[in-house]
Amino acid sequence: MAANKTPVASSSSFSATSPNATARAFALLSFQWQSCRAEALSVAAHFRFIFFAYLQYLSRFLALCSAFRKTCQCDFRVMNAGDIPFDVLSRLPTKSLLDMRFVSKEWHQLISDRLFVQAQLQKTGLTLSGFIFQEKYQKCLDDIKTFSYMPVNAESKVQKMVFGFLPEDVVILASCNGLVCCRSCFPKRNPTTIYVCNPLFKKWVSFEVAQLDRFSNFALVFDPILDPVNTSTNFKIVRIQQLENEQEKMYYTFEIYSSETGTWKKANEICHSNGNLLKNKGIYAKGFLHWLTDTDQILAFDTEKELSLLISSPIPGLEFFINVPGTCIGESKGLLHFIMICEDGIIVWRLDDYFETKWTHKHSKQLQVIEEENPKMFFKLYKNIQQKQIAGMDPWMDPLAFKDEVLLMRVYSTIYFYHIETGKVVEVCNVSSLGPNPYVDPSAIPYSSSLVPLNISLSQPDSNSHLNPSEN
């Protein structure tokens, strides 16, 4: 009888559980684990290397910073124009230096030093920071006490401001190379106070003037290159008045205030002109003050020689245009510029010679081109302008002020920056946001921030002259 045999499974059916298969599996897993472990150790070692290298470099960097700071603390106390840090820092713009003043007391001391300020002005000059815009009432004799500041920096917005560091509310009169001239608001009992200040540092000097009204014209003259600020900050204020003689002919007189003497002086010069002064009053360029008039002439006054002359505009006969063009004057790169906006577009001239009245055509751009490049801003602008032929209406495109290749202009109810060098248009704000009276002959004054100090010392102080109390 055949014995019963239990069937034996083939080795192939249970290879995974056979001793040899198990050994191979463990060997494979061990190899993979060793590989992963080696790779993990390699990665960890790599990260440890990076981490310790970072700590090493960080330690060296902090050591260098500490050594540099100690060096700066020693050197800045005796620094002069021949030192490398002095030369490097004096080439930086004002905006950068304002933040660097807070690095240390030594840095603050250096950047505030008059020799450093003079060197920085010579190497970098002053560039436009923004425009100050202040409204006027049309018939009321009171002044509007607030104003708007429009920075040219595209990242900044229009700011409603007052000069809160001054002892009273003021009206802005003029600005020149970082200093601002303003007066106390009306109504006020006589005498009126004139302030000259540096808004950046909230420093000011003041003096009193009798017999002024809200229509009095003042201009500020401050040239830190021709009159260095390494010892004191000297400026002049020119008061221009339009009077009438016995023959009923109009003429202008000039009075000059000098901060160096603290006194007023009446110039012998008289300029006969029937023109009335318009916006952009007292633009300083190349040693002259300039006033735009409602004729074809610009009134200029040499502040050193105390002589005046009348300069013909580059486009005479402006009244013969169908739509009277908008015009303004301004300064750029030390030269006077004349800007006109008419049906043909934006046109800019530069004055190269005073006595031969030589104007150079500098820039022009047609309205059609401006509209094509900015369709959302100026939709159907050219067509609307061609149809507007009614006399006495507000200018459709009004140039308000010009400085350093930037034109501040109003197109209908919107304020724009127009950059002459690039032809770029930047929308600033709606006119209504500037206040209830933005159309009535507003003041639009360019402003350049400056490090110039104002702790002046008058050699013959006027009894009505005052320094900022914080300076004493």
Side-chain angles (χ1 to χ4, degrees):
M1 183 175 177
N4 293 329
K5 296 182 179 181
T6 302
V8 179
S10 64
S11 59
S12 59
S13 300
F14 297 92
S15 59
T17 59
S18 63
N20 293 335
T22 302
R24 286 196 300 271
F26 275 111
L28 179 61
L29 290 175
S30 177
F31 174 77
Q32 292 177 346
W33 183 84
Q34 292 291 341
S35 299
C36 291
R37 181 173 179 273
E39 184 176 357
L41 291 175
S42 176
V43 172
H46 181 67
F47 277 107
R48 281 199 302 273
F49 173 78
I50 295 176
F51 178 72
F52 284 115
Y54 169 75
L55 290 180
Q56 186 178 9
Y57 283 115
L58 180 61
S59 177
R60 291 180 181 178
F61 174 75
L62 293 176
L64 287 173
C65 289
S66 177
F68 176 74
R69 181 179 177 83
K70 292 179 181 179
T71 303
C72 291
Q73 290 176 347
C74 296
D75 288 346
F76 282 0
R77 296 173 185 174
V78 293
M79 187 171 295
N80 54 55
D83 296 325
I84 293 178
F86 185 103
D87 181 66
V88 172
L89 290 176
S90 61
R91 298 178 185 275
L92 297 178
T94 299
K95 184 178 180 181
S96 300
L97 292 172
L98 287 177
D99 297 330
M100 298 179 70
R101 289 183 304 152
F102 302 101
V103 172
S104 68
K105 293 182 179 179
E106 290 75 20
W107 284 52
H108 189 282
Q109 181 180 357
L110 170 69
I111 295 172
S112 302
D113 185 80
R114 283 185 172 273
L115 289 175
F116 178 85
V117 172
Q118 182 67 29
Q120 192 256 355
L121 286 169
Q122 292 175 340
K123 293 175 183 178
T124 65
L126 290 174
T127 56
L128 176 68
S129 302
F131 293 89
I132 302 172
F133 185 96
Q134 191 168 30
E135 308 162 82
K136 294 180 183 178
Y137 290 124
Q138 185 171 10
K139 296 181 180 180
C140 179
L141 296 180
D142 293 355
D143 289 314
I144 295 178
K145 300 177 181 180
T146 59
F147 61 88
S148 301
Y149 178 65
M150 308 173 187
V152 293
N153 185 352
E155 299 176 356
S156 303
K157 296 182 180 180
V158 177
Q159 307 164 20
K160 281 287 185 181
M161 300 175 64
V162 294
F163 279 10
F165 60 91
L166 294 178
E168 59 182 325
D169 295 318
V170 295
V171 168
I172 307 300
L173 300 175
S175 175
C176 188
N177 289 323
L179 299 185
V180 176
C181 177
C182 43
R183 63 163 172 81
S184 50
C185 290
F186 291 107
K188 182 189 177 180
R189 297 177 182 176
N190 284 330
T192 303
T193 304
I194 300 293
Y195 297 91
V196 175
C197 61
N198 184 338
L200 199 62
F201 296 139
K202 299 181 180 180
K203 306 296 183 182
W204 53 269
V205 295
S206 66
F207 53 91
E208 296 176 345
V209 182
Q211 298 178 348
L212 291 187
D213 56 39
R214 66 189 294 259
F215 302 104
S216 299
N217 290 302
F218 290 86
L220 177 64
V221 179
F222 171 60
D223 194 330
I225 304 302
L226 296 179
D227 193 6
V229 298
N230 52 354
T231 56
S232 62
T233 303
N234 295 320
F235 59 85
K236 295 179 181 179
I237 295 177
V238 177
R239 180 186 183 186
I240 180 172
Q241 290 182 289
Q242 188 178 33
L243 304 174
E244 186 178 10
N245 60 20
E246 296 177 354
Q247 291 77 29
E248 298 184 352
K249 292 184 178 181
M250 307 302 294
Y251 65 96
Y252 286 97
T253 62
F254 307 89
E255 293 179 80
I256 304 169
Y257 174 87
S258 171
S259 65
E260 193 171 5
T261 62
T263 58
W264 284 92
K265 172 187 175 183
K266 188 170 184 178
N268 296 324
E269 181 70 2
I270 293 178
C271 181
H272 294 276
S273 173
N274 292 323
N276 297 309
L277 303 185
L278 296 178
K279 56 189 173 185
N280 317 123
K281 300 167 185 175
I283 300 297
Y284 181 74
K286 213 171 183 179
F288 285 81
L289 284 172
H290 306 82
W291 291 268
L292 182 66
T293 70
D294 56 5
T295 64
D296 293 333
Q297 294 179 319
I298 297 169
L299 172 58
F301 180 72
D302 188 327
T303 58
E304 292 297 325
K305 299 178 181 179
E306 298 182 5
L307 298 174
S308 65
L309 70 156
L310 294 171
I311 303 171
S312 299
S313 67
I315 297 293
L318 295 175
E319 67 273 11
F320 295 108
F321 281 77
I322 296 177
N323 295 317
V324 177
T327 59
C328 77
I329 58 175
E331 177 270 332
S332 180
K333 299 179 181 178
L335 299 176
L336 182 71
H337 287 63
F338 183 92
I339 299 90
M340 181 177 75
I341 303 181
C342 60
E343 294 92 337
D344 296 330
I346 299 176
I347 309 174
V348 181
W349 290 269
R350 180 187 66 232
L351 181 61
D352 292 326
D353 189 287
Y354 281 75
F355 300 101
E356 295 183 0
T357 315
K358 181 181 178 182
W359 292 95
T360 299
H361 177 263
K362 181 176 179 177
H363 172 85
S364 61
K365 196 164 188 177
Q366 295 180 343
L367 291 185
Q368 297 96 318
V369 176
I370 297 176
E371 183 178 339
E372 290 172 0
E373 294 177 352
N374 307 275
K376 293 182 179 180
M377 297 183 187
F378 306 117
F379 180 69
K380 293 184 178 180
L381 173 64
Y382 182 70
K383 180 180 179 180
N384 293 338
I385 299 312
Q386 291 296 314
Q387 295 176 351
K388 182 181 178 181
Q389 300 181 7
I390 302 176
M393 295 182 64
D394 291 332
W396 46 271
M397 243 178 138
D398 189 16
L400 301 175
F402 176 81
K403 169 73 174 174
D404 292 342
E405 310 299 299
V406 179
L407 173 64
L408 179 71
M409 64 180 184
R410 175 178 64 81
V411 182
Y412 294 122
S413 60
T414 308
I415 303 292
Y416 298 93
F417 290 142
Y418 177 73
H419 295 265
I420 300 297
E421 292 182 331
T422 62
K424 182 181 179 181
V425 179
V426 178
E427 183 174 341
V428 180
C429 64
N430 191 279
V431 176
S432 60
S433 66
L434 302 175
N437 299 276
Y439 293 96
V440 185
D441 190 25
S443 295
I445 298 174
Y447 168 71
S448 301
S449 59
S450 168
L451 298 173
V452 172
L454 257 181
N455 50 332
I456 66 173
S457 177
L458 302 178
S459 58
Q460 299 179 12
D462 190 310
S463 60
N464 293 326
S465 298
H466 304 279
L467 294 174
N468 184 350
S470 62
E471 293 286 359
N472 295 333

